[in-house]
Amino acid sequence: MSDLTVDPQQYVINKEPYYEEVNTEISLYEAAYGVRMPMMLKGPTGCGKSRFVEYMAWKLKKPLITVACNEDMTASDLVGRFLLDKDGTKWQDGPLTTAARIGAICYLDEVVEARQDTTVVIHPLTDHRRTLPLDKKGELVEAHPDFQLVISYNPGYQSLMKDLKQSTKQRFGGLDFDYPEEELEVSIVSKEAGIDVETAGKLVQIAHRARNLKGHGLDEGISTRLLVYAAQLIGSGVDAEVACSMTMVTPLTDDPDMRDTLNAAVQTFFG
Ligand SMILES: Nc1ncnc2c1ncn2[C@@H]1O[C@H](COP(=O)(O)OP(=O)(O)OP(=O)(O)O)[C@@H](O)[C@H]1O
Ligand SMILES: [Mg+2]
């Protein structure tokens, strides 16, 4: 009945992803994986959550299946559905079901975006049952012993309307993520983009100024991801001021005063 036509190997990460440990998250995650504890990674956008999951999947030598969640997503998008083909109907596993069958780490990115009736399908997988009922198909999938569920969560966007139910939250262990401290972030930006430490240092300084504006006109500070973007453009020969504007000002805000403030910070270091 169950179609294990999926080759787990296709989800295995063969090359070590570049990841700098910020705290002790690697060993803590290993311990959590050891007991197959579902994990929740919290932190602002672009601070390294996805990279961390990729790194851990590689380190633990487990396949990784990532699902980007959104509010239009239905439970069927996660668990699967019947499809029509020339021979009639055929069941197609969704990514969560595939992960449970093959023993993958299943990473539900931005899970808060999904509707609550979608989120509850993970409940039986995240307690002692470790099962996934495929109601439409009439099958109860028992999760492979290696299966683990990981979700990400950006506390910045959290509103009363969009939050996880306590009964969902309390099925996970949590790890807090944030932008790395200065020296480490400089090293990440420089390594990731292949630019000199001095230039990376200036970018991080600009980010620090912008991060102070969070809540004072900016919803989010400049992420590590945007710093890497800026550094990549500079590395490929784009004028530093232009590169910073493109990556660290324009995407962040439309407010003219705020743009002036950010551009002034860029000027201070690259003007
Ligand atoms: N600790 C780190 N080690 C190596 N690279 C990092 C680290 N933290 C951040 N980065 C860099 O920042 C980029 C963005 O990180 P990532 O995509 O993991 O963010 P995220 O937290 O998943 O963001 P989002 O919530 O928007 O999905 C990475 O592509 C990588 O270049
Ligand atoms: Mg991510």
Side-chain angles (χ1 to χ4, degrees):
M1 224 355 213
S2 72
D3 46 340
L4 241 188
T5 46
V6 176
D7 178 11
Q9 211 47 44
Q10 78 184 88
Y11 296 108
V12 170
I13 298 166
N14 294 310
K15 189 171 171 283
E16 176 174 353
Y18 166 62
Y19 183 76
E20 296 276 357
E21 184 168 36
V22 178
N23 271 310
T24 50
E25 67 272 19
I26 295 177
S27 59
L28 290 176
Y29 189 98
E30 277 177 322
Y33 182 79
V35 296
R36 302 300 182 270
M37 184 186 292
M39 286 300 293
M40 172 191 295
L41 312 182
K42 289 185 159 186
T45 182
C47 73
K49 300 182 295 296
S50 295
R51 181 65 65 87
F52 174 68
V53 175
E54 286 163 21
Y55 175 80
M56 291 312 303
W58 169 82
K59 193 159 195 287
L60 296 163
K61 300 188 174 61
K62 301 299 168 207
L64 174 66
I65 297 183
T66 298
V67 186
C69 301
N70 63 68
E71 57 186 357
D72 297 326
M73 200 170 75
T74 62
S76 300
D77 292 327
L78 283 178
V79 302
R81 54 169 53 89
F82 281 106
L83 298 177
L84 287 171
D85 69 2
K86 58 182 188 329
D87 308 317
T89 57
K90 183 173 172 281
W91 175 264
Q92 167 90 58
D93 279 345
L96 183 63
T97 310
T98 302
R101 287 195 208 276
I102 68 174
I105 292 175
C106 187
Y107 180 42
L108 303 183
D109 208 349
E110 284 296 328
V111 75
V112 196
E113 293 297 322
R115 294 197 316 261
Q116 290 191 344
D117 56 318
T118 307
T119 321
V120 293
V121 307
I122 65 183
H123 282 196
L125 270 178
T126 47
D127 54 35
H128 64 280
R129 290 172 282 178
R130 285 179 61 88
T131 54
L132 178 62
L134 307 179
D135 293 335
K136 289 184 183 144
K137 193 179 178 220
E139 183 188 346
L140 186 67
V141 177
E142 299 220 5
H144 185 288
D146 290 350
F147 169 79
Q148 187 204 23
L149 191 70
V150 185
I151 62 176
S152 76
Y153 190 109
N154 185 324
Y157 307 148
Q158 189 183 328
S159 70
L160 280 178
M161 289 296 289
K162 276 205 173 144
D163 194 8
L164 296 175
K165 287 149 65 112
Q166 280 295 334
S167 60
T168 304
K169 282 185 184 173
Q170 296 204 17
R171 293 179 133 73
F172 291 85
L175 282 174
D176 281 321
F177 283 74
D178 207 342
Y179 309 122
E181 50 81 26
E182 183 168 344
E183 206 179 316
L184 191 58
E185 193 168 34
V186 171
S187 144
I188 290 170
V189 171
S190 129
K191 279 202 196 113
E192 187 76 354
I195 62 159
D196 61 283
V197 174
E198 197 200 332
T199 310
K202 290 181 182 174
L203 294 172
V204 170
Q205 288 299 323
I206 298 168
H208 279 199
R209 302 210 169 175
R211 286 170 193 166
N212 290 330
L213 297 169
K214 183 175 170 176
H216 304 277
L218 275 189
D219 295 334
E220 281 285 333
I222 295 172
S223 65
T224 309
R225 177 187 296 125
L226 289 179
L227 296 184
V228 171
Y229 283 179
Q232 285 169 332
L233 288 182
I234 295 171
S236 60
V238 176
D239 171 72
E241 250 188 278
V242 177
C244 289
S245 219
M246 251 172 93
T247 54
M248 295 158 66
V249 182
T250 308
L252 233 60
T253 177
D254 297 320
D255 180 81
D257 289 339
M258 196 45 73
R259 284 192 174 194
D260 285 348
T261 308
L262 292 172
N263 277 318
V266 172
Q267 278 270 328
T268 314
F269 294 94
F270 288 113

